[in-house]
Amino acid sequence: MGLLTLLITAVVFFIIAYIVYGSFLDKTVGIDPKAKTPAHTMGDGVDYVPAKAPVLLGHHFASIAGAGPITGPIAAIVFGWLPCFLWIVLGSIFVGGVHDYFGLITSARHKGHTVGEIIGQYVGKKAQMWFLLFAWLALVLVVAVFTILTASAFAAKPEVATAGFLMLLIAMGMGFAMYRANMSLSVVTLIGVILLMVAIWIGLNSPFLFFNQVTWTWILIIYIFLASVLPVWMLLQPRDYLSSFLLYVALAGGFIGIFIVRPTLVYPAFTSFRTGSGFLFPMMFVIIACGAVSGFHSMVASGTTSKQLDNEKDTRMIGYGAMLLEGVLAVIALGTAAILTREAMTTGLAEWGGAVGVFAHGLSNFLAGLGVPEQTGIVFGSLTISAFLITSLDTATRLGRYCFEELTAEKIPAISNRYIGTIVTVAAGGALALTGQWTAIWPLFGSSNQLLAGLALMGATAYLAHLGKNYKVTYYPMAFMMIVTILALINLVFTNFGKGNMLLGSVSVLLLILGSFVVIGGFQALNKFKEKAASSGTK
């Protein structure tokens, strides 16, 4: 079977889903284009800043993409490419896309508050506290994993580090041009993309940043602190927008390259229900992670994106559409592994620098069909991943800061500010990152991330139930994710303690306890909504 057939099948299903199911979601929640969003009613020039739909899509897509939809499918292919493909497509349409959509619209209708605040309002204050603790811990894991992966990529390829640094300077210039010099978006975009190409050329031909992984880890720790406390228009929004063009080019180039090269799938469609990564159910679902559904997305949607949403009608494009685009990326990433034999895959993971290297080499093979030299394609692939690693990294830090502020706002207001919240989040994530053990942290990150998605869907379900609307669209995905991830966390508790890893074993137990408290509170709240609806229906 050819990879092109697989990719076209996914794209066709995604397009149909966006039009049909996306319209159904709009009608379910009652999108109102005339409603004022928090970006307008609460604008502060720091976090609440209205952004045009293409800019916000770029920010959101870049923030949620990260390494998850690339690393996850490549790691999960040990079960075979077919079950991975089915979960990516079905999960993106009916679970991940729905999760992201409601994460954005519910936050936008609640003053841009995070999922934690929404759970507090519709599930209960205790559930909110447990959720925020769980979410903060999950975000610390995101910071740790993505810091390790970024530092590793920069240390291995100075070309990527150099181009990435220049991208940062270009993005800051774009922010000032748009929001202080009032230049038009089209002009700023054109100049920014041209300078981005120059940055890539400089990185390829004259790299000047040569540091080891530990040094890069410390540099990134300092960077994410600054990125978290600076106004969103100055760095986060324009950098994400600029980075999105890299991913758009990678998606388009990969798609066209696959069409020209027509690579064949040689990895087995199915291997075994049990592998070295555990049982297919539930481990495949949490290993694929962001390629199908990610709780991190709801934190992005309700943490930064909702504060920049210009109009409710943009919700489908930004919330649902971005997840479907991420599904396309996940299929391409899966393809970079599926065109290899099992032996070549093992060798590639060892010699090319893990899943990031497998993706970069695979993308290079696809781009070769367009006449792109092999080394240029590899560097471009690595730069694309690194750009989104950094994007998710600093977004996760800012979201961790939001969670910390919400946790301490009432009881310890003296430390409920962006500086203390950032310092605590960066310190915890940085300490884990300095261990360098991303492979040990990844399954735990995936499990916590997926359970976070289930909890966010619980908040959306409670909101819809409160409004008296059909909440089945979020209820069934919520129930599925909770079953999958709780089983995965139980498995990781035994696995980590069995390997003598007391730290990750203890974190697994803590995540399981915190998540269970929110789940119990959530179902209690839903039962109350059901009783209320039944009671009103009898009158």
Side-chain angles (χ1 to χ4, degrees):
M1 184 176 181
L3 177 56
L4 180 62
T5 302
L6 209 64
L7 184 57
I8 290 177
T9 301
V11 170
V12 169
F13 273 102
F14 287 153
I15 291 173
I16 294 173
Y18 181 82
I19 296 171
V20 178
Y21 206 57
S23 176
F24 171 72
L25 296 177
D26 285 345
K27 292 177 181 177
T28 297
V29 78
I31 290 295
D32 183 5
K34 297 180 180 179
K36 291 289 185 180
T37 62
H40 293 283
T41 60
M42 302 174 65
D44 60 5
V46 177
D47 294 319
Y48 291 83
V49 180
K52 295 180 180 178
V55 176
L56 191 54
L57 175 63
H59 156 72
H60 185 73
F61 187 32
S63 295
I64 67 173
I70 293 170
T71 304
I74 292 174
I77 201 172
V78 293
F79 296 104
W81 59 261
L82 182 58
C84 295
F85 174 75
L86 292 174
W87 172 236
I88 289 170
V89 173
L90 296 176
S92 295
I93 293 173
F94 297 109
V95 185
V98 172
H99 165 273
D100 293 13
Y101 179 98
F102 281 96
L104 178 56
I105 190 61
T106 53
S107 176
R109 290 182 173 180
H110 292 81
K111 300 180 180 180
H113 290 161
T114 65
V115 175
E117 288 280 357
I118 294 166
I119 286 178
Q121 181 171 341
Y122 297 104
V123 178
K125 287 297 181 181
K126 285 186 178 180
Q128 177 184 0
M129 182 186 70
W130 297 126
F131 174 84
L132 288 172
L133 282 169
F134 180 93
W136 181 81
L137 191 54
L139 289 166
V140 166
L141 292 172
V142 174
V143 171
V145 171
F146 286 7
T147 297
I148 295 171
L149 291 172
T150 307
S152 176
F154 280 2
K157 292 190 176 297
E159 308 99 312
V160 175
T162 299
F165 172 74
L166 294 175
M167 276 183 61
L168 176 65
L169 299 180
I170 295 167
M172 293 187 72
M174 290 175 65
F176 278 97
M178 283 191 291
Y179 291 101
R180 289 298 178 263
N182 295 318
M183 291 177 63
S184 70
L185 175 63
S186 57
V187 172
V188 172
T189 300
L190 178 62
I191 295 174
V193 171
I194 292 173
L195 290 177
L196 175 60
M197 291 188 288
V198 173
I200 295 174
W201 184 88
I202 293 174
L204 279 167
N205 295 278
S206 303
F208 54 82
L209 293 177
F210 300 86
F211 301 114
N212 60 34
Q213 183 170 338
V214 175
T215 302
W216 271 119
T217 299
W218 282 107
I219 291 173
L220 288 169
I221 287 172
I222 295 171
Y223 163 74
I224 59 178
F225 170 80
L226 294 174
S228 176
V229 299
L230 287 173
V232 69
W233 63 266
M234 187 180 294
L235 176 59
L236 193 70
Q237 191 186 91
R239 204 274 331 283
D240 292 354
Y241 177 57
L242 181 62
S243 296
S244 68
F245 285 93
L246 274 177
L247 193 48
Y248 295 149
V249 172
L251 284 171
F255 192 96
I256 296 171
I258 290 169
F259 185 83
I260 296 172
V261 177
R262 305 286 178 94
T264 301
L265 303 176
V266 296
Y267 201 94
F270 177 75
T271 58
S272 173
F273 188 78
R274 185 177 185 180
T275 70
S277 298
F279 291 97
L280 186 150
F281 183 87
M283 295 312 296
M284 184 196 73
F285 297 90
V286 300
I287 292 173
I288 287 179
C290 313
V293 57
S294 168
F296 175 64
H297 295 186
S298 67
M299 301 305 294
V300 174
S302 68
T304 59
T305 307
S306 65
K307 297 176 176 63
Q308 303 170 62
L309 187 68
D310 185 48
N311 193 300
E312 278 195 5
K313 65 181 176 61
D314 298 333
T315 303
R316 193 199 313 187
M317 177 197 295
I318 296 165
Y320 195 61
M323 182 62 237
L324 298 184
L325 279 175
E326 184 160 343
V328 175
L329 176 61
V331 172
I332 292 176
L334 181 67
T336 63
I339 62 174
L340 301 174
T341 63
R342 297 176 76 168
E343 294 73 19
M345 177 66 178
T346 302
T347 302
L349 288 171
E351 298 181 358
W352 297 340
V356 172
V358 171
F359 176 81
H361 279 75
L363 184 63
S364 175
N365 289 334
F366 303 153
L367 295 177
L370 300 173
V372 177
E374 180 182 6
Q375 189 59 33
T376 300
I378 292 173
V379 170
F380 176 75
S382 298
L383 177 62
T384 300
I385 299 174
S386 297
F388 292 99
L389 280 168
I390 296 177
T391 298
S392 295
L393 180 57
D394 56 28
T395 299
T397 308
R398 185 177 285 253
L399 295 174
R401 184 252 286 184
Y402 290 157
C403 287
F404 186 86
E405 289 180 29
E406 288 185 27
L407 272 170
T408 57
E410 293 184 4
K411 296 185 177 180
I412 321 175
I415 62 173
S416 182
N417 61 72
R418 55 179 166 168
Y419 298 104
I420 300 297
T422 299
I423 289 172
V424 174
T425 302
V426 170
L432 278 175
L434 287 169
T435 67
Q437 299 178 14
W438 86 269
T439 52
I441 301 173
W442 182 267
L444 186 56
F445 151 72
S447 299
S448 64
N449 188 39
Q450 306 305 79
L451 183 52
L452 187 61
L455 299 179
L457 284 165
M458 171 171 283
T461 302
Y463 171 64
L464 290 175
H466 172 77
L467 296 179
K469 295 182 179 292
N470 180 9
Y471 58 80
K472 293 180 181 179
V473 68
T474 56
Y475 182 86
Y476 291 125
M478 170 200 74
F480 178 75
M481 292 315 302
M482 286 180 175
I483 293 171
V484 166
T485 51
I486 288 176
L487 288 175
L489 278 172
I490 293 172
N491 176 70
L492 287 171
V493 168
F494 289 101
T495 299
N496 286 316
F497 281 130
K499 293 180 178 179
N501 195 326
M502 303 304 292
L503 174 61
L504 294 184
S506 300
V507 173
S508 302
V509 171
L510 182 58
L511 286 169
L512 189 58
I513 293 172
L514 292 174
S516 298
F517 282 146
V518 184
V519 169
I520 293 170
F523 278 107
Q524 288 176 343
L526 288 176
N527 287 332
K528 291 181 180 178
F529 286 127
K530 288 180 181 179
E531 291 172 3
K532 183 178 180 181
S535 175
S536 61
T538 59
K539 291 181 179 180

